[in-house]
Amino acid sequence: MTPIYPPEPFRIKVVEPIRLIPPEERELKLIEAGYNLFLMKAEDMFIDLLTDSGTGAMSQEQWAAIMRGDESYAGARSFVRLEAAVQDVFGFKHFVPTHQGRAAENILAACRVKPGQWVPSNMHFDTTDANIRARGGRPANLVIDEAHDPENRHPFKGNMDLAKLRAFIEKYGREQIPFGMITVTNNAGGGQPVSMANIKAVADLYHEFDIPFFIDAARYAENCYFIKQREPGYESKSVKEIAHEMFSLADGMTMSAKKDAIVNIGGLLCVNDDALFQDIKNELILREGFPTYGGLAGRDLDAMAVGLYEGLDEAYLSYRLGQTAYLAARINEAGIQTIQPTGGHGVYVNAGALFPHIPNYEFPAQALAVELYREGAIRGVEIGSVMFACLDPETGLWHYPKLELLRLAIPRRTYTQSHLDYVADTLANIKDRAHSVSGYRFTYAPELLRHFTARFEPLALEVASA
Ligand code: P70
């Protein structure tokens, strides 16, 4: 039976109109954009599930805080308010604001990663991966094997494989590992949480070898709520207490505040180490701005200070995770597979299973992304071979990811149950004609991060199924 999600713990005071353009117009827009949804206009979307990053709705308290923004260059009141919130929620000794998550990652990598060094994690998100590589470093993903099986219902599928991590550290040694990480929740693996027991064991392992431990905290509040729901011993702790315990295990964190701090722009970099903090401030001044604003306006800092608390609110978190579970259940009822169990911020549809007649090199998840727009003017994001297939320079062979997924990320406090019903019904209509959907081929593809700018054309169905 479909779970009923808790009613929205807010009512709507400001509305942003959305418009469903007719099917013939959608067809033209697809052709103009070369069938790449990144190249399409937001005004042509009815429901936009491209990302949950910076796309949520701010509260009346956040908009009020924006009016109190202090735009002083140094030591602004806004900074002082954010500092108090960051200290209260995360408890690290030092912090700087950054313009978004990848800026925090860039500064940390610039300060600590040297060419040839390794940075292990459960799974790095792609900007973290790229920022480590940009400094000549090598990211390593050591998540448990269960993460790669879409049917496996492990409650903490974001966990690090501790045996793999120990073997990895023993192989490369402390000198080759400037710091270690873990991403909560694991976005690249389906928004799956990491258990407190696993975070503790990871922290102990890094510290046994004297390796500093950083948390990618983009969706930490959702992770903490999963711990409260699923991990014995945490049922009666508050999400804030769980967060305190989690961050007390780490030496620092990077965060895209566009997720669980419910702001449209912003990020954080926190550390305990005094010498590292000095390096961070110098790098920040060079690239982002003075340490009391970090590339943001004062009003952005105030919105973040308020959003940090709203992201921890348990009525909100129960509604939020209930909403994701509801959408997944409605999609599953239509006989369409999604990654199980459902993660925090989105539903990951198994496009490979929906279109078994489209081989991975003809991009089944891209085909589903196009079809979802064609059928209902809904935008998701392909997480499959368009994004991740890569050419092995040594063998000259293409490596394809294990799964062809379409992610439907749910912006925070933005869409209602009937919007989600519309998404599930649209997918069900596509399933009814799944056999008639064809694959795609590139007409243009850059070498790196090709999903953002590639262009495609549909293949004739006879070719696709030949
Ligand atoms: C997303 C966005 C960003 C992100 C993240 C984690 C775990 C760091 C960052 C970087 C990015 C995205 C993907 C597809 C379409 C649009 C946007 N994730 N760590 O949606 O943070 O973006 O602030 O620099 O998930 O998952 P930032």
Side-chain angles (χ1 to χ4, degrees):
M1 224 191 71
T2 319
I4 304 293
Y5 72 73
E8 284 78 5
F10 51 82
R11 55 183 181 172
I12 297 166
K13 180 145 60 182
V14 176
V15 295
E16 179 182 1
I18 51 177
R19 191 172 67 104
L20 180 60
I21 63 172
E24 321 75 72
E25 266 185 58
R26 285 179 233 157
E27 207 55 51
L28 288 175
K29 304 281 179 189
L30 278 171
I31 294 168
E32 273 168 29
Y35 298 92
N36 184 345
L37 285 104
F38 276 105
L39 303 180
M40 298 184 74
K41 292 204 176 85
E43 65 180 8
D44 297 326
M45 300 300 149
F46 188 50
I47 311 277
D48 200 345
L49 307 181
L50 182 70
T51 177
D52 63 321
S53 180
T55 51
M58 289 208 291
S59 67
Q60 58 181 358
E61 296 306 324
Q62 286 178 293
W63 283 110
I66 278 193
M67 288 305 295
R68 285 191 292 272
D70 173 354
E71 305 303 340
S72 305
Y73 192 97
R77 295 168 190 83
S78 302
F79 175 79
V80 174
R81 288 189 281 262
L82 177 62
E83 186 178 41
V86 169
Q87 178 58 35
D88 182 36
V89 172
F90 302 109
F92 292 102
K93 202 166 160 199
H94 307 290
F95 98 102
V96 288
T98 59
H99 81 269
Q100 55 185 92
R102 69 197 68 182
E105 295 158 8
N106 172 32
I107 288 159
L108 180 62
C111 291
R112 284 297 175 267
V113 178
K114 297 202 174 56
Q117 288 187 326
W118 290 90
V119 181
S121 186
N122 50 350
M123 284 174 93
H124 292 284
F125 184 66
D126 62 1
T127 56
T128 325
D129 183 292
N131 272 303
I132 294 164
R133 288 182 199 277
R135 303 289 159 181
R138 289 177 283 189
N141 296 328
L142 306 175
V143 71
I144 55 172
D145 290 338
E146 287 87 338
H148 302 297
D149 173 3
E151 302 291 326
N152 190 304
R153 296 187 144 268
H154 192 297
F156 291 104
K157 240 172 154 178
N159 280 359
M160 183 88 81
D161 186 320
L162 297 165
K164 279 190 212 161
L165 180 62
R166 178 174 287 281
F168 185 89
I169 299 175
E170 283 172 354
K171 180 169 175 195
Y172 293 105
R174 196 259 168 267
E175 295 313 308
Q176 283 308 310
I177 305 176
F179 58 90
M181 295 190 77
I182 202 161
T183 311
V184 299
T185 57
N186 181 20
N187 182 11
Q192 302 291 329
V194 183
S195 72
M196 188 68 85
N198 190 259
I199 297 173
K200 261 190 201 133
V202 167
D204 286 348
L205 198 47
Y206 283 136
H207 291 152
E208 183 186 325
F209 291 86
D210 200 25
I211 297 169
F213 169 37
F214 279 77
I215 296 178
D216 177 337
R219 299 181 181 85
Y220 81 97
E222 291 170 9
N223 199 104
C224 291
Y225 197 74
F226 276 124
I227 289 176
K228 184 180 169 100
Q229 287 181 317
R230 295 181 184 172
E231 192 162 351
Y234 290 92
E235 309 80 352
S236 51
K237 294 212 160 121
S238 72
V239 172
K240 194 174 168 204
E241 284 169 328
I242 297 171
H244 272 161
E245 182 175 341
M246 179 189 285
F247 292 106
S248 74
L249 299 166
D251 302 294
M253 61 171 245
T254 58
M255 180 174 181
S256 169
K258 299 167 74 171
K259 281 79 167 179
D260 279 358
I262 328 185
V263 286
N264 302 124
I265 194 73
L268 293 170
L269 175 54
C270 304
V271 293
N272 285 330
D273 186 88
D274 298 338
L276 175 57
F277 184 55
Q278 193 55 55
D279 292 347
I280 285 172
K281 279 191 289 189
N282 294 339
E283 188 69 23
L284 188 88
I285 290 168
L286 184 65
R287 312 223 173 254
E288 295 278 310
F290 192 69
T292 64
Y293 71 87
L296 293 169
R299 54 183 168 271
D300 300 327
L301 307 180
D302 265 310
M304 205 195 300
V306 175
L308 277 172
Y309 288 104
E310 294 184 357
L312 282 172
D313 180 88
E314 296 188 20
Y316 153 76
L317 283 166
S318 146
Y319 138 77
R320 163 114 181 116
L321 299 186
Q323 205 181 34
T324 318
Y326 173 82
L327 175 60
R330 287 245 25 229
I331 293 172
N332 297 154
E333 270 167 17
I336 298 169
Q337 285 181 22
T338 59
I339 289 194
Q340 300 294 330
T342 305
H345 64 292
V347 176
Y348 291 61
V349 182
N350 189 341
L354 183 61
F355 298 140
H357 58 287
I358 305 180
N360 53 7
Y361 55 86
E362 289 175 4
F363 311 126
Q366 179 62 24
L368 183 56
V370 171
E371 229 46 47
L372 199 57
Y373 181 74
R374 178 176 276 141
E375 181 78 28
I378 299 161
R379 173 154 66 176
V381 69
E382 194 262 12
I383 303 198
S385 289
V386 175
M387 199 179 266
F388 286 125
C390 57
L391 193 61
D392 184 329
E394 277 161 32
T395 60
L397 295 173
W398 280 91
H399 279 291
Y400 288 89
K402 292 202 177 80
L403 297 171
E404 299 291 335
L405 302 170
L406 180 73
R407 186 186 75 174
L408 306 173
I410 307 182
R412 291 164 184 76
R413 307 188 291 208
T414 301
Y415 291 114
T416 65
Q417 184 166 352
S418 40
H419 290 127
L420 301 187
D421 284 334
Y422 173 82
V423 173
D425 293 343
T426 305
L427 272 166
N429 291 343
I430 295 170
K431 183 174 191 286
D432 291 340
R433 54 178 180 77
H435 57 279
S436 68
V437 173
S438 75
Y440 283 77
R441 77 162 160 242
F442 285 123
T443 55
Y444 164 74
E447 206 176 313
L448 287 176
L449 294 172
R450 57 187 185 173
H451 49 287
F452 291 117
T453 54
R455 299 182 73 86
F456 302 86
E457 69 183 11
L459 290 156
L461 199 58
E462 308 79 69
V463 177
S465 55

